[in-house]
Amino acid sequence: QNTDDGNSMQHEYQDILVSEVADGVVTITLNRPEAYNALRTQLLSELADVLQQCSDDDSVRAVVVTGNEKVFAAGADIKEMAALDAVGVLNDPRVMHWRRIAQFPKPLVAAVNGFALGGGCELVMHADIVIAGDNAQFGQPEINLGIIPGAGGTQRLIRTVGKSMAMQLVLSGEFISAAQARDFGLVSEVTIPERSLERALELARKIATKPPIAVRQAKEVLLKAYETTLDSGLSLERKAFTLLAATEDRNEGIAAFMEKRKPNFTGK
Ligand code: HXC
């Protein structure tokens, strides 16, 4: 329902479902079951728009993204992709949507059941924490279509799972199980499928109670580890650590510990 009472998240979307903010958490459900949640432009653009709104809304402290019980997302929409020539691919607005998703500054937790393939696996790698149902399957099958991953599936994957497994996935197109994905660091926990979303929400709600400036700094500094030297990463960490000493929430956190009470963080 379209409401204009300030809760701008509650638009009508075609390809996703967006929950109200509950305990600081918004849940986004990919919702094109008939196409195995293929990530057509419309879907990616709606996802990027909602994340932008979540970014702007102080009441949102974390976001959970999920699919359905059979599929997280089966990749780029192959039917849509088929219509693009090289210039079409060059000017594809999806590149911009992916960038907007990557720049989301708050914690993004994915709950993955079933297939997470191609762009679906790449979307998983845009999440900060990934909980997988034990029926999840991860893969980069683009090679079967004569292409390669195009939304970070070479670069983020190799940084996440290491060279041999990244090569195996991208060159052979084979899928790996949730347990293998956990062994290789692509996901942090495996649950029964019925529990993956609840566990993701549990983590997101917990993060939502933490001091938001520190959470944001932590995400930024952790992600920098992918692309910087140890020395400059440590320097950035020290700067963020110093910056946090100027926040009220840091004083509150320390005072609450000393006074043996729960902290009341205000985001200042
Ligand atoms: C469009 C898709 C789709 C996709 C599935 N469907 N995946 N439509 N794009 N990526 C549609 C099918 O056409 C079919 O609809 C319905 O979803 C169910 O799919 P089936 O194949 O009938 O189901 P099943 O036999 O269970 O096999 C599931 C599957 C298979 C293993 C996931 O669908 C599959 O291999 N899909 C493609 C996976 C893939 O190659 N992904 C990478 C895409 S390239 P209809 O109406 O036909 O029955 C990519 C590049 C990223 O992601 C680059 C980012 C910039």
Side-chain angles (χ1 to χ4, degrees):
Q1 207 140 12
N2 249 329
T3 54
D4 219 345
D5 56 1
N7 191 350
S8 51
M9 234 80 74
Q10 299 304 309
H11 287 298
E12 285 292 332
Y13 297 100
Q14 275 180 51
D15 288 358
I16 59 176
L17 302 171
V18 181
S19 78
E20 309 231 358
V21 188
D23 301 321
V25 177
V26 165
T27 305
I28 302 173
T29 307
L30 310 179
N31 190 36
R32 293 186 72 206
E34 71 289 351
Y36 275 34
N37 290 339
L39 304 169
R40 64 174 171 184
T41 306
Q42 177 74 26
L43 189 154
L44 280 182
S45 129
E46 290 181 2
L47 184 57
D49 285 351
V50 173
L51 290 178
Q52 181 65 56
Q53 288 164 31
C54 290
S55 175
D56 295 342
D57 183 340
D58 285 345
S59 73
V60 181
R61 302 289 189 82
V63 172
V64 170
V65 61
T66 193
N68 58 49
E69 62 282 354
K70 258 178 53 182
V71 56
F72 178 74
D77 190 312
I78 297 172
K79 292 163 195 170
E80 189 182 55
M81 218 165 47
L84 295 179
D85 60 10
V87 173
V89 172
L90 182 70
N91 296 324
D92 193 340
R94 296 185 329 133
V95 175
M96 176 190 64
H97 299 320
W98 278 113
R99 197 173 305 124
R100 291 167 68 211
I101 294 166
Q103 283 167 353
F104 180 56
K106 298 179 185 180
L108 181 62
V109 184
V112 181
N113 287 339
F115 295 113
L117 305 176
C121 192
E122 290 169 309
L123 180 56
V124 165
M125 288 184 270
H126 280 71
D128 302 306
I129 301 174
V130 184
I131 307 299
D134 60 21
N135 66 344
Q137 294 191 66
F138 300 84
Q140 299 288 164
E142 288 90 342
I143 202 76
N144 299 325
L145 302 169
I147 56 174
I148 64 170
T154 61
Q155 301 306 300
R156 285 195 185 89
L157 190 63
I158 202 161
R159 284 164 170 79
T160 306
V161 304
K163 177 184 164 189
S164 187
M165 182 51 85
M167 287 284 184
Q168 184 172 320
L169 285 163
V170 173
L171 300 181
S172 79
E174 270 186 18
F175 304 163
I176 56 171
S177 67
Q180 279 175 295
R182 182 193 48 209
D183 292 348
F184 280 88
L186 185 57
V187 315
S188 58
E189 280 182 28
V190 178
T191 65
I192 55 168
E194 297 73 23
R195 177 143 166 80
S196 59
L197 178 57
E198 193 42 47
R199 177 63 182 139
L201 282 166
E202 213 171 84
L203 282 165
R205 286 189 205 112
K206 181 170 286 180
I207 293 165
T209 68
K210 308 296 181 195
I213 303 177
V215 165
R216 199 166 159 156
Q217 290 292 314
K219 171 168 174 167
E220 183 185 335
V221 176
L222 281 161
L223 283 179
K224 268 286 180 275
Y226 273 140
E227 53 189 295
T228 192
T229 61
L230 179 60
D231 203 42
S232 36
L234 289 171
S235 164
L236 186 71
E237 179 188 272
R238 180 48 49 181
K239 288 198 166 71
F241 190 87
T242 305
L243 173 84
L244 290 167
T247 63
E248 289 177 19
D249 280 349
R250 182 260 204 180
N251 294 340
E252 168 63 9
I254 292 176
F257 176 82
M258 304 282 207
E259 293 158 20
K260 300 188 188 303
R261 60 172 173 83
K262 279 198 149 189
N264 176 27
F265 295 122
T266 57
K268 294 194 178 123

